[in-house]
mmCIF file of all heavy atoms in Angstrom:
data_model
loop_
_atom_site.group_PDB
_atom_site.id
_atom_site.type_symbol
_atom_site.label_atom_id
_atom_site.label_comp_id
_atom_site.label_asym_id
_atom_site.label_seq_id
_atom_site.Cartn_x
_atom_site.Cartn_y
_atom_site.Cartn_z
ATOM 1 N N GLU B 42 -10.885 14.167 -76.842
ATOM 2 C CA GLU B 42 -10.224 13.553 -75.695
ATOM 3 C C GLU B 42 -9.957 14.569 -74.599
ATOM 4 O O GLU B 42 -10.104 15.771 -74.794
ATOM 5 C CB GLU B 42 -8.910 12.911 -76.142
ATOM 6 C CG GLU B 42 -9.097 11.793 -77.152
ATOM 7 C CD GLU B 42 -7.778 11.144 -77.527
ATOM 8 O OE1 GLU B 42 -6.770 11.367 -76.815
ATOM 9 O OE2 GLU B 42 -7.756 10.416 -78.531
ATOM 10 N N GLY B 43 -9.554 14.061 -73.454
ATOM 11 C CA GLY B 43 -9.128 14.941 -72.371
ATOM 12 C C GLY B 43 -7.702 15.405 -72.592
ATOM 13 O O GLY B 43 -7.103 15.149 -73.639
ATOM 14 N N LEU B 44 -7.151 16.091 -71.599
ATOM 15 C CA LEU B 44 -5.781 16.595 -71.716
ATOM 16 C C LEU B 44 -4.783 15.513 -71.336
ATOM 17 O O LEU B 44 -4.995 14.770 -70.374
ATOM 18 C CB LEU B 44 -5.577 17.807 -70.793
ATOM 19 C CG LEU B 44 -6.024 19.159 -71.317
ATOM 20 C CD1 LEU B 44 -7.524 19.221 -71.472
ATOM 21 C CD2 LEU B 44 -5.536 20.268 -70.396
ATOM 22 N N GLN B 45 -3.687 15.457 -72.073
ATOM 23 C CA GLN B 45 -2.613 14.525 -71.753
ATOM 24 C C GLN B 45 -1.367 15.325 -71.415
ATOM 25 O O GLN B 45 -1.033 16.285 -72.108
ATOM 26 C CB GLN B 45 -2.293 13.624 -72.946
ATOM 27 C CG GLN B 45 -3.431 12.746 -73.405
ATOM 28 C CD GLN B 45 -3.058 11.964 -74.646
ATOM 29 O OE1 GLN B 45 -1.874 11.699 -74.899
ATOM 30 N NE2 GLN B 45 -4.040 11.589 -75.439
ATOM 31 N N LEU B 46 -0.680 14.922 -70.369
ATOM 32 C CA LEU B 46 0.562 15.587 -70.023
ATOM 33 C C LEU B 46 1.599 15.321 -71.108
ATOM 34 O O LEU B 46 1.878 14.170 -71.445
ATOM 35 C CB LEU B 46 1.078 15.079 -68.676
ATOM 36 C CG LEU B 46 2.393 15.671 -68.208
ATOM 37 C CD1 LEU B 46 2.250 17.167 -67.934
ATOM 38 C CD2 LEU B 46 2.881 14.952 -66.951
ATOM 39 N N LEU B 47 2.188 16.379 -71.641
ATOM 40 C CA LEU B 47 3.190 16.240 -72.697
ATOM 41 C C LEU B 47 4.596 16.311 -72.094
ATOM 42 O O LEU B 47 5.432 15.464 -72.354
ATOM 43 C CB LEU B 47 3.012 17.342 -73.739
ATOM 44 C CG LEU B 47 3.954 17.336 -74.923
ATOM 45 C CD1 LEU B 47 3.851 16.039 -75.717
ATOM 46 C CD2 LEU B 47 3.681 18.534 -75.836
ATOM 47 N N LEU B 48 4.850 17.330 -71.277
ATOM 48 C CA LEU B 48 6.143 17.444 -70.620
ATOM 49 C C LEU B 48 6.037 18.409 -69.445
ATOM 50 O O LEU B 48 5.054 19.149 -69.322
ATOM 51 C CB LEU B 48 7.228 17.909 -71.597
ATOM 52 C CG LEU B 48 6.977 19.166 -72.417
ATOM 53 C CD1 LEU B 48 7.357 20.418 -71.645
ATOM 54 C CD2 LEU B 48 7.784 19.126 -73.727
ATOM 55 N N LYS B 49 7.064 18.388 -68.594
ATOM 56 C CA LYS B 49 7.044 19.238 -67.414
ATOM 57 C C LYS B 49 8.452 19.672 -67.035
ATOM 58 O O LYS B 49 9.431 19.062 -67.462
ATOM 59 C CB LYS B 49 6.402 18.511 -66.236
ATOM 60 C CG LYS B 49 7.205 17.328 -65.715
ATOM 61 C CD LYS B 49 6.526 16.696 -64.522
ATOM 62 C CE LYS B 49 7.271 15.450 -64.052
ATOM 63 N NZ LYS B 49 8.581 15.750 -63.472
ATOM 64 N N ALA B 50 8.496 20.745 -66.222
ATOM 65 C CA ALA B 50 9.761 21.198 -65.646
ATOM 66 C C ALA B 50 9.439 21.765 -64.273
ATOM 67 O O ALA B 50 8.473 22.518 -64.116
ATOM 68 C CB ALA B 50 10.419 22.257 -66.522
ATOM 69 N N THR B 51 10.211 21.388 -63.284
ATOM 70 C CA THR B 51 9.868 21.775 -61.920
ATOM 71 C C THR B 51 10.749 22.865 -61.338
ATOM 72 O O THR B 51 10.437 23.408 -60.269
ATOM 73 C CB THR B 51 9.897 20.554 -60.989
ATOM 74 O OG1 THR B 51 11.204 19.970 -61.069
ATOM 75 C CG2 THR B 51 8.861 19.529 -61.416
ATOM 76 N N LYS B 52 11.856 23.205 -62.007
ATOM 77 C CA LYS B 52 12.681 24.296 -61.487
ATOM 78 C C LYS B 52 13.400 24.990 -62.627
ATOM 79 O O LYS B 52 13.494 24.478 -63.744
ATOM 80 C CB LYS B 52 13.678 23.778 -60.456
ATOM 81 C CG LYS B 52 14.647 22.746 -60.945
ATOM 82 C CD LYS B 52 15.516 22.259 -59.782
ATOM 83 C CE LYS B 52 16.646 21.362 -60.251
ATOM 84 N NZ LYS B 52 16.188 20.143 -60.899
ATOM 85 N N ALA B 53 13.931 26.163 -62.318
ATOM 86 C CA ALA B 53 14.583 26.997 -63.327
ATOM 87 C C ALA B 53 15.685 26.232 -64.049
ATOM 88 O O ALA B 53 16.420 25.456 -63.441
ATOM 89 C CB ALA B 53 15.143 28.245 -62.658
ATOM 90 N N ASP B 54 15.733 26.443 -65.370
ATOM 91 C CA ASP B 54 16.714 25.844 -66.278
ATOM 92 C C ASP B 54 16.453 24.373 -66.581
ATOM 93 O O ASP B 54 17.172 23.785 -67.392
ATOM 94 C CB ASP B 54 18.151 26.015 -65.766
ATOM 95 C CG ASP B 54 18.518 27.486 -65.621
ATOM 96 O OD1 ASP B 54 18.049 28.296 -66.448
ATOM 97 O OD2 ASP B 54 19.243 27.825 -64.671
ATOM 98 N N ASP B 55 15.440 23.789 -65.954
ATOM 99 C CA ASP B 55 15.053 22.421 -66.319
ATOM 100 C C ASP B 55 14.542 22.415 -67.750
ATOM 101 O O ASP B 55 13.846 23.330 -68.174
ATOM 102 C CB ASP B 55 13.902 21.937 -65.421
ATOM 103 C CG ASP B 55 14.391 21.134 -64.244
ATOM 104 O OD1 ASP B 55 15.621 20.999 -64.088
ATOM 105 O OD2 ASP B 55 13.534 20.634 -63.494
ATOM 106 N N LYS B 56 14.833 21.342 -68.468
ATOM 107 C CA LYS B 56 14.256 21.170 -69.797
ATOM 108 C C LYS B 56 13.374 19.935 -69.767
ATOM 109 O O LYS B 56 13.844 18.841 -69.434
ATOM 110 C CB LYS B 56 15.358 20.999 -70.847
ATOM 111 C CG LYS B 56 14.807 20.758 -72.247
ATOM 112 C CD LYS B 56 15.902 20.431 -73.258
ATOM 113 C CE LYS B 56 16.588 21.652 -73.779
ATOM 114 N NZ LYS B 56 17.517 21.363 -74.895
ATOM 115 N N GLY B 57 12.101 20.119 -70.123
ATOM 116 C CA GLY B 57 11.203 18.987 -70.274
ATOM 117 C C GLY B 57 11.206 18.551 -71.733
ATOM 118 O O GLY B 57 11.302 19.393 -72.637
ATOM 119 N N SER B 58 11.116 17.245 -71.957
ATOM 120 C CA SER B 58 11.093 16.779 -73.346
ATOM 121 C C SER B 58 10.284 15.495 -73.452
ATOM 122 O O SER B 58 10.249 14.691 -72.514
ATOM 123 C CB SER B 58 12.502 16.561 -73.878
ATOM 124 O OG SER B 58 13.168 15.584 -73.112
ATOM 125 N N ASN B 59 9.630 15.327 -74.598
ATOM 126 C CA ASN B 59 8.822 14.131 -74.829
ATOM 127 C C ASN B 59 8.376 14.146 -76.290
ATOM 128 O O ASN B 59 7.935 15.176 -76.803
ATOM 129 C CB ASN B 59 7.609 14.121 -73.900
ATOM 130 C CG ASN B 59 6.793 12.847 -74.014
ATOM 131 O OD1 ASN B 59 7.315 11.792 -74.387
ATOM 132 N ND2 ASN B 59 5.526 12.920 -73.669
#
Side-chain angles (χ1 to χ4, degrees):
Chain B
E42 298 182 14
L44 277 67
Q45 298 176 26
L46 179 65
L47 181 59
L48 52 85
K49 67 178 176 68
T51 57
K52 60 184 188 298
D54 300 325
D55 264 3
K56 178 187 278 188
S58 61
N59 185 26

